[in-house]
Structures are given as structure tokens and as C-alpha cells.
């Protein structure tokens, strides 16, 4: 994730270990002393949270105040005190008492179930206070800092304050992990799968160049100058004029990946020329049951309306693997990435997809947007044909498929014979081509869309469209499109549109503007001829000096 | 032991912000106040200053609850808490 900053680092504290089951009070402590100690720890946690709430943003303040109130709650502490009186340690007692309360709230469902997370957070903070270790989660600091972590859990990224965390360095996760995706969406300078971070002491001043992947200690004059250049360029790189075009006038519409109405409004304001990927599962996540057609219509229409008469590509539910849904997917599959996910859930839970298509059609009737629909995880021409038939039944005229499975790339001619367009999901296409889990740090080198084998499959998909003969568009909607250097290669391979986080639009547009279609084709050939992802990336970056000048 | 019957007035019930405000008010008192659904045995009454207890009580708008306290100032304390419960705190 591009960006250059200089700052002091702080480490994410290790996850808090659960106090052992049955852990007893130590011989030197009476139950009464343990109860008093617990009360004191709870009061400390409460006052820390109140202090933080005082300077937090209004939304964060509400959560922190509510959590602070829970810290000394009599239900939580009395439950723990009872357990202490049976001889359990204070740590184990508050752990179990928190569990009981959280379960009770989860059983109540709705708003109460959402508060269960706060109870578990408070419980972990009290255990940390009892042990005298830092509270789990993103460290609190009065000054902005560079966060060093193994990886971030979704809950951590939700509390990440960009005013405090100026850059993110992780040892785990690949360039396509969720942490990387979120950092990109927030516009946060980040380097993932970095080595040697644990050797850096807290407080060390470092220079980070996210685009070049450089972390160096003892920054000097040249690093300070590089930061200054970046800050100057960043302003220009934050504005997209809404027109993706190459140096020779060849148009490459730049679209946005969005997860809902709010996202869509932001993306439209950022100049996106439409939506290349509406991730509809975000309307479904965290739901115990399928949303009603009416609920879905409202969600989809909010996105359509943000884009006037522009194109919006809706991807049907992509549940499974890292995005489980209780009413659709089987969490016990031994190999969920290769399991019943995406379009495949229509075979195990028929009806959900048909109802979603009908909701999309209804939302589309009530709006001006040009609505295209595509299915994720298509592997065969027969699946593409079945999906097209379902779309026709629902009254949707532009059906398409995601190309994420290598078989779909290889058979794109036959697949495009069944549908109107294809969109390359480079994140999954890379993980399946290289047989490397997106989330695993040790496999990050394999899991790189610059892998020449992945580029070759993208080329095959485009060649399939040419052979099919009807000029059916092949776009890219994976993270690869957000990498300005790779975006040039993708265009050179014959991809017609690029869809990405709205944040990346301006940078990609700035670089595309400097190359002609012919030059992009030459750079694509250059990359395809390289033996590795690293050398392909290096060769293209060297041939595009604009990148280094802009700090991208 | 003093007792008062009150009807929940907040639109969202005794959840979220109304519960937080009520628990805070009950916690600020020098005496212990309990809360229970109308008709529930006294032994099952919950600590009115516990936000978590209030949430598990799950009282909705229009539900009746019984507040109990004893000791000096119990009457006045209960009166003030009843007023709070019978105000739509979501609208404040």
C-alpha cells in the first residue's frame, strides 16, 4: 500500500491467553484478597476506558463509555466473586463469569447479542490488568505511531484510528489478505508479510515506503526528502477526474469495488465510473437467516441510486470459505476454499440465489443504473449457462461470470458463449492457480498476482473472448487492479475495465495516463516472459520510471 | 422495604442508552435498588445499577417493572428512578 512515512513503532500486544481451566487461587492469597484485587483491576480498566472515551470520536466514545460501565458491573463481578469463593483464581473466575454473561446476551439475540463482544473485551482487559500486562488490541497512544502486528483480526481493524496509526507493518498475511484489503481501502501506508519486524524495539524511529516495500531504521535526510515528495504528490494522487484513459486516448473505465450503499456514495464522490463489483454478501454477513427480498431491494437500490445511469456489476452471494453464512454454508467442511461456496451454494440451498436475482431485478426496475449480474466461483460452461438462464428468468438481461477458478480461465471461450461478460477475480484466481491460501503469511510469495502463471491465465481469458467473436468484455475486479504497475500490465493483456477500492482510482489513473496501449502490451509481454513474480514486478517497475517518481 | 411499580416509557425499551442512563442513576445512590418484572418473585430481582442485568431483563416499552429498596431515603430514591423509567429517554 503506497505511502511514505517516518514515525515511531509500537507493537500490537500478543493475544491474551485464556487462564487455564480450573486454575486455583495461589496459597498466599485468600479469597477475600482476590475479590478485592479483582475489584481494583475492574476499577482500573473502567478509569482507563473513561480516559480514552474523553478524547475519542463521538462513535468510539459511545462504545468506550458503554464498555467502561460494564467493567465494574455487579452482575459480572458478583459472578466472578462466587467462583473465587470456590477456590478458583481471580483471572479464571472473571473469564468464566464474562463467558456466562456473554452467552446470556447472545441467547437474547439482536442488539443484546452485539453487546456480547463488549463483555468479552472488558473481560480480557480485566485479566490483562490482573496480570499486569498491556491490554489486548491496538495500543493506545497520545501520539501517532507505526503499528507492528503479526496480523490484524477484523475486530482490530474496525477500531483502527487512521489519525493514530500512520502506517501498518505485519509479519503475516499476503498482499491479498483481508488486512491488506482494509489497509488499501483506508488509504493506510502498509507493508504485509514483512520480515524481521520483531527485532525492532518499541519506540524505534523507522522510515516506511509502502510502494517499494522498504522499512529502514535511523532515517536521515534522503528519507525525510522522500516523505516530503510523497506528501506533495499524494495531494495530486488523491483526485481522480472520472476518466480512465491511456496516453493515446484508449479508454479504460475505472470502476469501484463496493460493499453497500454508503461505500457506493463514497466511490461515486471519488469519481468512480461505475461499480465493477458489488459484494452483496456484505448485506448478508452476520445474519442468522436470509434477508427478505424487500430488505435486499433496499440495499441494492441504495447502490444503484448512487451511480445514476452508470454501470453497476452485482456479484451474487459469495458465501463460504472465509465468509461463512449460517443459513448457506457448512462450517465443518475440511477444505472450505475448495468446498460449497459462491455459485455452488445454489445446489445445496436452492432458492436463495433465485430470490436474490429477483431482488436485484426489482431494485433495478426502480432505478436508472445499468445493472449487470455475475456469479462467483463458476468452473464450467454448463454452470455459466444455468446461471444465464436463471438471470433471464428473473428478467436480468446482462448475465456474466467471475473468472476465479483456473478451469474458467482455460475454457473462457465456451463460458463466454453462455454469458455476456467475464470479470477476473484475481485474488481467488491467484490462490487457486498457485494452490496457496490467501491468508497464510508463509505462502505470501506464491500468493502474488504478479506470478507469470496467473498473468498467463488472464491472457487466456482474454484470448477466449476474442475467439468467441462477439467482443464480450473481460474486466478485472481483484486487488491486482489497484496496483498501478500491474494495472498497466492487465490493460496490456487486453483487459477492458479495472475495478478497485475507490482510494486507488486516482493513482491507477495517473499511471495509465502515461502509457499507450501498445506500450502496455509490450510491458505485459515483458512480465509474461519473466520466471518469477518478483522479477516480473521488478522488470515492469523499472520500465515505468513514473512509479518511483510518484512514490507508487 | 419500599416498592414502586413503573411502566417503561423509552421507545427502545430498557436497552442501550436508556439502560445505561438508568443504571448510572441507580448506581449513584447510597442505597441498593433492585428491579424485577411485575409478578416475579422478590428473590429473582436484579441489581438496578447493573447495565448487564438490565439488558438481560429485556424489558420493552409498556412493560411493568417493580423497583424495591429499603433504608434511609428509599422512598425519595425510588420516586426519582420511577420518573426516569417513565420518561422516554430515547427522546431526550
Amino acid at each position: 500500500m503506497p505511502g511514505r512515512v517516518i514515525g515511531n513503532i509500537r507493537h500490537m500486544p500478543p493475544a491474551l491467553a485464556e487462564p487455564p481451566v480450573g486454575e486455583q487461587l495461589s496459597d498466599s492469597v485468600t479469597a477475600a484478597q482476590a475479590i478485592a484485587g479483582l475489584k481494583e483491576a475492574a476499577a482500573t480498566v473502567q478509569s482507563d476506558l473513561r480516559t480514552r472515551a474523553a478524547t475519542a470520536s463521538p462513535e468510539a466514545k459511545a462504545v468506550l463509555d458503554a464498555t467502561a460501565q460494564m467493567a465494574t458491573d455487579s452482575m459480572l463481578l458478583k459472578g466472578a466473586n462466587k467462583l473465587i469463593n470456590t477456590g478458583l483464581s481471580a483471572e479464571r473466575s472473571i473469564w468464566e463469569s464474562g463467558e456466562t454473561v456473554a452467552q446470556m446476551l447472545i441467547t437474547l439475540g439482536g442488539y443484546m447479542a452485539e453487546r456480547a463482544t463488549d463483555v468479552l473485551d472488558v473481560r480480557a482487559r480485566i485479566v490483562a490488568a490482573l496480570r499486569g500486562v498491556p491490554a489486548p488490541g491496538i495500543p493506545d497512544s497520545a501520539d501517532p505511531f507505526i503499528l507492528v502486528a503479526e496480523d490484524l483480526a477484523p475486530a482490530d481493524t474496525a477500531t483502527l484510528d487512521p489519525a493514530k496509526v500512520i502506517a501498518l507493518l505485519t509479519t503475516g498475511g499476503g498482499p491479498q489478505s483481508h488486512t491488506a484489503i482494509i489497509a488499501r481501502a483506508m488509504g493506510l501506508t502498509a507493508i504485509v508479510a514483512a520480515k524481521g519486524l520483531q527485532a525492532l524495539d518499541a519506540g524505534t524511529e523507522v522510515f516506511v515506503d509502502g510502494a517499494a516495500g522498504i522499512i529502514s531504521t535511523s532515517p536521515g535526510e534522503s528519507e525525510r526528502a522522500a516523505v516530503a515528495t510523497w506528501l506533495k504528490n499524494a495531494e495530486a494522487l488523491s483526485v481522480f477526474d472520472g476518466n480512465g484513459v491511456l496516453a493515446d486516448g484508449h479508454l479504460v473505465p475505472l470502476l469501484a469495488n463496493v460493499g453497500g450503499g454508503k461505500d457506493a456514495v463514497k466511490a461515486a464522490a471519488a469519481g468512480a465510473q461505475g461499480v465493477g463489483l458489488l459484494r452483496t454478501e456484505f448485506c448478508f454477513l452476520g445474519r442468522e437467516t436470509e434477508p427478505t427480498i424487500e430488505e435486499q431491494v433496499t440495499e441494492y437500490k441504495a447502490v444503484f441510486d448512487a451511480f445514476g445511469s452508470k454501470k453497476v456489476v452485482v456479484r451474487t452471494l459469495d458465501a463460504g470459505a472465509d465468509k461463512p453464512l449460517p443459513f448457506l454454508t457448512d462450517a465443518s467442511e475440511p477444505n472450505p476454499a475448495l468446498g460449497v461456496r459462491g455459485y455452488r451454494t445454489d445446489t445445496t440451498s436452492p432458492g436463495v440465489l433465485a430470490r436474490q436475482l429477483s431482488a436485484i431485478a426489482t431494485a433495478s426496475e426502480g432505478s436508472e443504473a445499468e445493472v449487470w449480474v455475475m456469479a462467483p466461483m463458476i468452473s464450467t460452461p454448463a454452470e455459466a449457462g444455468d446461471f444465464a438462464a436463471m438471470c433471464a428468468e428473473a428478467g436480468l438481461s446482462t448475465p456474466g461470470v467471475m473468472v476465479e477458478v483456473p478451469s474458467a480461465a482455460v475454457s473462457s471461450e465456451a463460458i463466454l458463449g453462455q454469458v455476456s461478460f467475464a470479470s477476473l477475480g484475481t485474488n481467488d484466481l491467484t490462490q487457486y492457480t498457485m494452490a496457496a491460501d490467501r491468508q497464510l503469511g508463509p505462502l505470501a510469495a506464491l500468493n502474488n498476482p504478479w506470478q507469470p502463471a496467473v498473468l498467463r491465465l488472464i491472457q487466456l481469458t482474454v484470448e477466449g473472448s476474442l475467439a468467441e467473436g462477439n467482443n464480450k468484455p473481460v474486466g478485472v475486479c481483484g486487488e491486482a487492479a489497484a496496483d498501478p504497475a500491474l494495472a498497466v500490465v492487465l490493460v496490456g493483456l487486453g483487459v477492458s475495465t479495472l475495478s478497485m477500492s475507490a482510494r486507488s482510482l486516482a493513482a491507477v489513473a495517473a499511471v495509465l495516463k502515461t502509457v499507450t496501449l501498445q506500450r502496455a502490451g509490450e510491458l505485459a509481454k515483458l512480465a509474461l516472459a519473466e520466471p518469477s513474480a518478483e522479477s516480473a514486478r521488478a522488470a515492469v517497475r523499472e520500465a515505468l520510471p513514473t512509479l518511483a517518481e510518484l512514490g507508487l | 422495604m419500599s416498592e414502586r411499580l413503573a411502566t417503561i416509557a423509552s421507545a427502545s425499551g430498557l436497552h442501550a442508552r436508556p439502560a445505561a442512563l438508568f443504571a448510572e442513576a441507580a448506581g449513584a445512590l447510597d442505597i441498593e435498588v433492585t428491579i424485577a418484572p411485575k409478578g416475579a418473585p422478590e428473590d429473582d430481582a436484579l441489581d438496578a445499577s447493573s447495565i448487564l442485568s438490565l439488558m438481560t431483563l429485556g424489558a420493552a416499552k409498556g412493560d411493568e417493572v417493580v423497583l424495591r429498596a429499603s433504608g434511609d431515603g428509599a422512598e425519595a430514591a425510588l420516586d426519582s428512578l420511577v420518573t426516569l423509567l417513565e420518561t422516554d429517554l430515547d427522546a431526550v
Side-chain angles (χ1 to χ4, degrees):
Chain A
M1 279 41 75
R4 292 176 186 148
V5 297
I6 290 175
N8 298 324
I9 65 159
R10 300 201 61 153
H11 291 274
M12 184 91 169
L16 195 84
E18 174 178 343
V21 176
E23 186 183 61
Q24 299 292 302
L25 280 174
S26 77
D27 293 339
S28 57
V29 179
T30 66
Q33 286 168 332
I35 287 172
L38 177 61
K39 192 176 171 193
E40 198 179 318
T44 307
V45 168
Q46 181 172 58
S47 93
D48 285 353
L49 289 168
R50 290 239 155 100
T51 310
R52 281 180 59 190
T55 58
S57 66
E59 298 110 52
K61 185 179 186 312
V63 175
L64 288 167
D65 276 334
T67 320
Q69 198 174 17
M70 283 178 193
T72 56
D73 193 277
S74 65
M75 188 181 195
L76 188 65
L77 294 183
K78 278 185 188 157
N81 293 347
K82 264 188 203 160
L83 293 168
I84 291 174
N85 281 325
T86 70
L88 280 183
S89 72
E91 290 87 342
R92 183 67 205 174
S93 299
I94 189 72
W95 189 269
E96 288 186 12
S97 175
E99 190 67 41
T100 308
V101 174
Q103 282 307 327
M104 217 183 275
L105 294 175
I106 287 168
T107 311
L108 287 167
Y111 169 83
M112 254 63 85
E114 288 166 28
R115 298 279 75 78
T117 325
D118 300 341
V119 175
L120 297 178
D121 179 55
V122 146
R123 159 182 95 165
R125 287 176 180 280
I126 296 176
V127 171
L130 284 167
R131 287 181 181 159
V133 300
I138 293 172
D140 184 41
S141 161
D143 302 313
F145 59 96
I146 295 171
L147 179 64
V148 174
E150 195 181 310
D151 204 355
L152 294 183
D156 297 324
T157 46
T159 58
L160 210 159
D161 176 2
K164 286 286 165 65
V165 178
I166 53 173
L168 172 65
L169 308 174
T170 68
T171 50
Q176 322 213 44
S177 66
H178 290 287
T179 302
I181 292 171
I182 284 164
R184 206 170 283 128
M186 292 178 67
L188 187 64
T189 301
I191 299 179
V192 295
K195 294 189 182 76
L197 293 177
Q198 297 311 329
L200 296 171
D201 291 326
T204 309
E205 191 182 44
V206 298
F207 164 74
V208 176
D209 184 334
I214 293 169
I215 303 164
S216 57
T217 52
S218 322
E221 270 319 299
S222 64
E223 282 83 6
R224 288 182 204 287
V227 172
T229 311
W230 164 258
L231 289 176
K232 212 173 92 217
N233 289 336
E235 217 164 300
L237 287 176
S238 65
V239 184
F240 173 48
D241 63 7
N243 191 22
V245 60
L246 301 187
D248 55 6
H250 177 80
L251 297 178
V252 181
L254 301 181
L255 315 168
N257 296 346
V258 304
K262 265 193 210 157
D263 260 12
V265 170
K266 273 191 214 157
Q273 294 173 267
V275 170
L277 170 63
L278 168 58
R279 297 186 174 100
T280 56
E281 61 276 10
F282 287 91
C283 316
F284 290 69
L285 286 182
R287 302 280 303 238
E288 294 292 321
T289 53
E290 181 188 346
T292 63
I293 292 189
E294 291 71 31
E295 285 174 274
Q296 294 187 47
V297 169
T298 310
E299 297 272 359
Y300 306 151
K301 194 162 179 304
V303 176
F304 298 166
D305 288 346
F307 277 90
S309 60
K310 290 184 177 138
K311 177 169 91 174
V312 176
V313 183
V314 183
R315 175 177 70 189
T316 57
L317 254 186
D318 188 19
D322 55 342
K323 294 171 288 201
L325 281 182
F327 55 94
L328 265 185
T329 53
D330 172 6
S332 66
E333 282 178 354
N335 217 338
L338 302 182
V340 180
R341 56 169 296 203
Y343 175 72
R344 301 166 178 186
T345 57
D346 189 50
T347 57
T348 51
S349 309
V352 178
L353 179 58
R355 286 188 288 276
Q356 184 178 27
L357 290 173
S358 136
I360 296 167
T362 306
S364 155
E365 278 160 23
S367 92
E368 302 283 303
E370 182 187 337
V371 176
W372 294 17
V373 192
M374 63 183 180
M377 287 294 288
I378 291 290
S379 313
T380 65
E383 286 176 350
D386 290 344
F387 179 69
M390 289 179 81
C391 287
E393 180 124 338
L396 291 159
S397 55
T398 316
V401 297
M402 293 275 291
V403 174
E404 302 164 283
V405 183
S407 67
V410 173
S411 50
S412 84
E413 180 183 351
I415 284 181
L416 280 167
Q418 303 289 334
V419 293
S420 309
F421 71 98
S423 182
L424 289 147
T426 46
N427 307 355
D428 273 329
L429 182 62
T430 306
Q431 104 163 332
Y432 292 130
T433 304
M434 306 312 293
D437 189 323
R438 279 163 71 172
Q439 301 295 327
L440 293 182
L443 302 180
L446 284 176
N447 214 317
N448 184 330
W450 282 95
Q451 286 287 350
V454 176
L455 299 179
R456 177 71 183 121
L457 282 172
I458 293 171
Q459 188 182 40
L460 274 175
T461 310
V462 173
E463 286 171 5
S465 167
L466 292 174
E468 196 272 336
N470 287 301
N471 207 16
K472 293 185 177 170
V474 175
V476 168
C477 65
E479 290 301 309
D483 171 345
L486 193 46
V488 170
V489 170
L490 295 171
V491 169
L493 290 170
V495 162
S496 54
T497 57
L498 299 172
S499 188
M500 63 201 78
S501 298
R503 291 255 186 198
S504 304
L505 291 165
V508 169
V511 175
L512 288 182
K513 231 176 355 199
T514 67
V515 294
T516 59
L517 186 58
Q518 192 196 337
R519 180 68 182 141
E522 289 162 10
L523 292 171
K525 254 187 217 151
L526 188 69
L528 278 169
E530 289 293 331
S532 72
E534 293 70 32
S535 62
R537 180 170 182 270
V540 172
R541 288 187 67 89
E542 198 185 306
L544 275 172
T546 317
L547 292 169
E549 284 161 25
L550 293 175
L552 292 172
Chain B
M1 177 72 67
S2 310
E3 268 189 36
R4 290 284 187 289
L5 193 64
T7 308
I8 308 291
S10 292
S12 67
L14 204 47
H15 299 163
R17 191 160 165 273
L21 292 172
F22 179 76
E24 216 167 85
L29 299 169
D30 292 329
I31 51 170
E32 277 188 26
V33 181
T34 66
I35 184 168
K38 186 187 171 192
E42 200 178 323
D43 284 352
D44 291 350
L46 301 163
D47 177 0
S49 69
S50 159
I51 177 84
L52 294 169
S53 296
L54 295 177
M55 279 162 57
T56 54
L57 187 67
K61 180 179 160 72
D63 285 358
E64 290 184 299
V65 294
V66 180
L67 299 180
R68 292 187 183 90
S70 51
D72 280 352
E75 298 287 333
L78 289 182
D79 285 340
S80 70
L81 292 177
V82 167
T83 310
L84 204 52
L85 284 181
E86 299 198 330
T87 307
D88 183 356
L89 296 169
D90 286 315
V92 176

